[in-house]
Amino acid sequence: MLRWHSVRRKQHQQLQAELSSGGAGMLSAPESRRVSRSMSVKAPTAAEYMPLPLRDKPLQLSNSLSLDPNEPISALTPTKESRVAALRRRSSMVRDKWATKMEFLLAVIGYAVDLGNIWRFPSVCYKHGGGAFLIPYFIMLMLGGLPMFYMELVLGQFHRSGCISIWRKICPLFRGIGYGICFICTFIAIFYNAIIAQAVYFAFSSISLQVPWATCNNTWNTPKCSDDLNVTHSKSGERLTTPSEEYYLYNVLESQKSTGFDDLGGVKPSMAICLALVFTMVYFALWKGPQSSGKMVWVTATAPYFILTILLIRGLTLPGASKGLMFYVTPDFDKLWDPAVWSAAATQIFFSLGPGFGVLLALSSYNDFNNNCYRDAVVTSIINCGTSFFSGAVVFSTLGYMSELTNRPVGEVVGENDASLIFMVYPQALATMAYSNFFSFIFFVMLITLGIDSTFAGIEALITGFCDESRLLTKHRKWFVLVVCVVYYFLSFPAISYGHQYVVPFLDDYGVSLSVLFMVTCEMIAVCWFYGIEQFSKDIRAMLGFYPGIYWRTCWTFSPIFISIIFGMTIYNSNFTPIQLGPYTFPWWSVVLGWMLRLLSVLSVPVFALIYIASGTGSLRERFKWAITPQQRRTSATSLAADPTQIIDSSLLDPVNHLTPV
């Protein structure tokens, strides 16, 4: 029988009144007294419970039945219908949900489509064979990217948990993955929001009659600056710079005030204000969970597509646009024999879709249990890849125009790093157009919207993970989000210092790249080989009503091998030498500091695994078996809230004709 842990006395009294009139046989008198005594017992969080194994679930509600507590349920007596409605109302009180299906879809799209689609994919594409690069890109999407993306959506939606507590329900031995993900989220938040702050700075600077990077007649310009874009070197052979390049380096970053990684030169006040605006937007997107972020994504996830369309139309009307597009898509099939191309395709699709960062687990955990996450995964992957190619057309149509202005090949117009493309090259092209202030403003607004939904999704992964671990944090979520944003704001100061150009590549290299690949490798091993594809497939059937096909099960079986290959290639290419940034070489101690940051996340997995095994009893073999066995809890009202399809008292729903055996 169902033991009620009442959250509201009024609902409890109403339920007992209904039981006394129409369902007196449901609870015996002793049980009724125990219910009354349980009024003082505080209900555990939904994250502390694991849904029952499939074999223990007697029945599942058909997808045709609405989960709306206000909607009547056909074929139920009024008393039983009221009890089921009460169950559903109680479920909604335990964990927040997305207001609509579209909000979740926009949130996932906003997370997957980020700044990397604008500045990374186009350059990776043309460097590795142009149009021919799409062949390995599509193959890697089908073999690794899409299956892993789908898997994380399923895990979050089925277990209704964030990146920390979910591993108790899959394989407790790997619980350290969740804490490692939190470290990675912190490193990303430190430098990623600093990049968005630069876009904010550019957007405000664009609100003028003429953009300030149009000419060299400014206080920050040097004698090397040249208004003539056709001239790249002086008579003495010295390399000349463009107005936009000097504006970014000497006005936005003020890099002349920093001599290197060991002398960052302090924090720039104006950039600190821009960063504060970014974290203010992040806070109000996160403070109420899906209720607030679901409203924000209607703007941040849709605005970039309108702006990209405007910029593409403008780019196609410029002279030389066809030259840039041909350079972008012309296939070089000889590159397909180069292993580096396939490695680049795998890495690009992986970081583009973004599994392993805990974000997909957090976002999908707020879904309805029977939401069609299979369709969401396919639709989001198609939109993400389409956006990457679409944004490449926008960028290279404009780069073709720059090639026409400078009389240089398109390949020489593109800068050496990602930041140069969106903060130097593209702004310079915009400065030469009519209405340059308007096009510059909407371009940087697009960068802000692309970045803001990705960054608050990343921070949501950490917040959801810790809120699932603590009822106190869940109850005071607004204050917890505020504390996280304030702490991240001050931790981001090195990234908005005058030495920004040294901090960002350092954190990106040591804090993210290798660490997240290690986390995903462990995640795939835990789910595919310990939890098991068979049990995972049954979980999908419990939610969606069908088993995944042979394609999905095969890809999941070999996903650990696929991601391990990428991880191995990354380790092979890594070294213990300091980072080389142009003519500047980082100090030797930066390698030690970098590996310490990297090991903070990597060592979380083995350390927590050893602690968990040490806390067990019995022989080492018994402890290991216990550590890899998913934890289960006796069903209660809160576990029903975590999984609405767990019908505890099946006699309630006997009259329903829409039940299908699982």
Side-chain angles (χ1 to χ4, degrees):
M1 282 297 181
L2 172 66
R3 291 195 60 183
W4 294 88
H5 296 272
S6 181
V7 211
R8 289 186 177 179
R9 184 179 295 273
K10 183 178 178 181
Q11 289 183 352
H12 172 68
Q13 293 173 347
Q14 180 183 359
L15 178 61
Q16 285 209 336
E18 293 170 354
L19 287 175
S20 62
S21 60
M26 286 296 174
L27 293 175
S28 62
E31 286 179 284
S32 179
R33 286 193 296 270
R34 287 196 295 269
V35 168
S36 299
R37 287 195 298 267
S38 67
M39 294 291 295
S40 60
V41 178
K42 197 167 186 179
T45 60
E48 295 180 53
Y49 287 84
M50 174 180 177
L52 288 173
L54 192 61
R55 61 180 179 273
D56 294 335
K57 291 185 181 180
L59 295 171
Q60 179 190 357
L61 289 173
S62 169
N63 288 339
S64 62
L65 289 178
S66 170
L67 291 178
D68 187 355
N70 299 317
E71 184 177 335
I73 305 174
S74 60
L76 283 180
T77 64
T79 300
K80 293 177 180 179
E81 178 180 337
S82 177
R83 284 201 59 186
V84 174
L87 281 174
R88 292 175 175 179
R89 285 195 299 270
R90 290 167 59 84
S91 298
S92 64
M93 294 171 62
V94 175
R95 192 175 189 85
D96 290 333
K97 290 185 179 180
W98 299 103
T100 64
K101 170 66 179 291
M102 184 56 68
E103 287 185 0
F104 165 71
L105 198 60
L106 289 175
V108 176
I109 292 173
Y111 162 67
V113 179
D114 61 356
L115 293 175
N117 294 75
I118 302 297
W119 71 11
R120 178 173 170 81
F121 177 82
S123 59
V124 171
C125 186
Y126 91 81
K127 289 177 181 177
H128 296 91
F133 177 76
L134 298 179
I135 297 175
Y137 182 76
F138 179 76
I139 292 175
M140 292 301 175
L141 168 67
M142 300 306 296
L143 292 181
L146 181 57
M148 287 189 289
F149 190 84
Y150 180 27
M151 173 179 284
E152 285 212 351
L153 291 184
V154 170
L155 290 173
Q157 182 171 308
F158 183 83
H159 296 287
R160 307 296 295 268
S161 302
C163 62
I164 298 176
S165 54
I166 193 173
W167 299 106
R168 285 201 300 261
K169 308 172 184 181
I170 296 175
C171 184
L173 185 69
F174 286 89
R175 193 183 179 194
I177 293 175
Y179 294 101
I181 288 175
C182 292
F183 281 117
I184 295 173
C185 290
T186 300
F187 298 143
I188 294 175
I190 289 175
F191 73 84
Y192 196 81
N193 289 290
I195 296 174
I196 302 174
Q198 293 176 11
V200 173
Y201 190 97
F202 268 93
F204 279 110
S205 300
S206 301
I207 306 175
S208 59
L209 295 178
Q210 185 184 41
V211 291
W213 58 87
T215 66
C216 292
N217 301 323
N218 301 287
T219 56
W220 58 80
N221 290 126
T222 68
K224 297 181 181 179
C225 183
S226 173
D227 288 320
D228 188 354
L229 300 180
N230 285 317
V231 181
T232 58
H233 291 82
S234 64
K235 294 181 179 180
S236 61
E238 190 176 23
R239 178 184 173 276
L240 300 178
T241 56
T242 62
S244 62
E245 183 179 355
E246 292 208 346
Y247 176 78
Y248 178 64
L249 293 176
Y250 304 136
N251 182 262
V252 179
L253 299 183
E254 296 189 43
S255 59
Q256 68 273 17
K257 297 182 180 180
S258 171
T259 59
F261 189 67
D262 51 355
D263 178 26
L264 299 180
V267 176
K268 183 176 180 179
S270 57
M271 199 59 66
I273 296 174
C274 293
L275 184 66
L277 292 176
V278 172
F279 274 106
T280 301
M281 290 187 285
V282 170
Y283 172 74
F284 285 109
L286 294 176
W287 71 321
K288 292 185 178 180
Q291 299 177 23
S292 54
S293 57
K295 305 301 180 289
M296 176 77 80
V297 294
W298 282 101
V299 177
T300 57
T302 57
Y305 291 96
F306 292 104
I307 299 175
L308 279 173
T309 302
I310 295 173
L311 294 176
L312 178 62
I313 295 173
R314 181 64 181 119
L316 292 176
T317 61
L318 297 173
S322 58
K323 183 194 300 184
L325 291 176
M326 289 301 296
F327 181 85
Y328 175 47
V329 301
T330 300
D332 182 3
F333 292 105
D334 293 335
K335 289 282 185 78
L336 296 180
W337 300 102
D338 185 359
V341 174
W342 293 85
S343 175
T347 304
Q348 173 61 29
I349 196 65
F350 172 78
F351 283 102
S352 180
L353 291 175
F357 293 92
V359 176
L360 301 176
L361 295 174
L363 298 181
S364 61
S365 71
Y366 298 112
N367 272 337
D368 288 328
F369 185 78
N370 296 109
N371 172 66
N372 192 344
C373 53
Y374 167 74
R375 180 176 55 198
D376 296 339
V378 175
V379 170
T380 304
S381 299
I382 293 174
I383 292 176
N384 177 69
C385 297
T387 303
S388 296
F389 193 75
F390 181 63
S391 60
V394 174
V395 170
F396 275 90
S397 62
T398 307
L399 292 181
Y401 167 65
M402 282 295 292
S403 174
E404 191 80 9
L405 289 178
T406 60
N407 291 323
R408 288 186 291 168
V410 178
E412 295 182 10
V413 174
V414 183
E416 297 179 356
N417 53 62
D418 298 334
S420 67
L421 179 61
I422 63 172
F423 290 128
M424 297 184 196
V425 180
Y426 204 90
Q428 186 62 59
L430 294 174
T432 63
M433 301 179 187
Y435 308 105
S436 59
N437 50 357
F438 168 75
F439 287 109
S440 296
F441 180 75
I442 64 172
F443 173 73
F444 289 109
V445 167
M446 179 191 69
L447 295 184
I448 295 170
T449 55
L450 282 172
I452 204 71
D453 47 11
S454 296
T455 191
F456 74 65
I459 298 176
E460 177 64 50
L462 178 139
I463 292 172
T464 300
F466 281 102
C467 283
D468 285 348
E469 291 289 291
S470 170
R471 292 192 299 271
L472 179 64
L473 294 180
T474 303
K475 183 179 179 181
H476 302 286
R477 178 188 170 97
K478 296 179 182 179
W479 290 104
F480 178 53
V481 173
L482 179 62
V483 170
V484 170
C485 289
V486 171
V487 171
Y488 278 176
Y489 174 73
F490 287 107
L491 288 178
S492 301
F493 274 12
I496 58 171
S497 65
Y498 299 116
H500 162 90
Q501 58 181 333
Y502 307 110
V503 176
V504 171
F506 175 80
L507 288 176
D508 187 27
D509 189 15
Y510 286 109
V512 181
S513 302
L514 187 63
S515 302
V516 75
L517 287 173
F518 176 76
M519 293 300 154
V520 176
T521 302
C522 294
E523 179 181 331
M524 293 298 108
I525 292 174
V527 177
C528 300
W529 291 351
F530 283 90
Y531 188 68
I533 299 301
E534 180 181 357
Q535 180 61 46
F536 184 69
S537 300
K538 291 178 181 179
D539 294 346
I540 294 176
R541 188 191 176 194
M543 290 192 302
L544 306 183
F546 58 85
Y547 280 109
I550 186 65
Y551 158 72
W552 296 104
R553 296 199 301 270
T554 303
C555 289
W556 287 327
T557 301
F558 293 101
S559 285
I561 299 176
F562 170 79
I563 196 66
S564 295
I565 293 174
I566 301 177
F567 179 60
M569 289 188 296
T570 306
I571 292 179
Y572 178 78
N573 292 327
S574 63
N575 52 62
F576 291 91
T577 59
I579 298 175
Q580 189 78 25
L581 193 64
Y584 177 77
T585 302
F586 280 63
W588 64 268
W589 54 263
S590 66
V591 178
V592 178
L593 177 62
W595 276 95
M596 289 175 60
L597 295 179
R598 184 173 285 171
L599 292 176
L600 276 177
S601 54
V602 170
L603 290 181
S604 299
V605 178
V607 168
F608 276 92
L610 292 175
I611 293 174
Y612 197 79
I613 292 176
S615 64
T617 57
S619 64
L620 184 60
R621 181 177 181 180
E622 291 172 340
R623 293 186 185 191
F624 181 77
K625 184 177 180 180
W626 168 72
I628 63 175
T629 303
Q631 293 181 4
Q632 302 182 18
R633 295 230 180 194
R634 178 173 53 82
T635 307
S636 68
T638 43
S639 65
L640 178 66
D643 181 356
T645 63
Q646 294 183 37
I647 305 303
I648 302 167
D649 188 357
S650 58
S651 63
L652 263 177
L653 302 176
D654 285 342
V656 182
N657 299 322
H658 298 284
L659 295 174
T660 56
V662 178

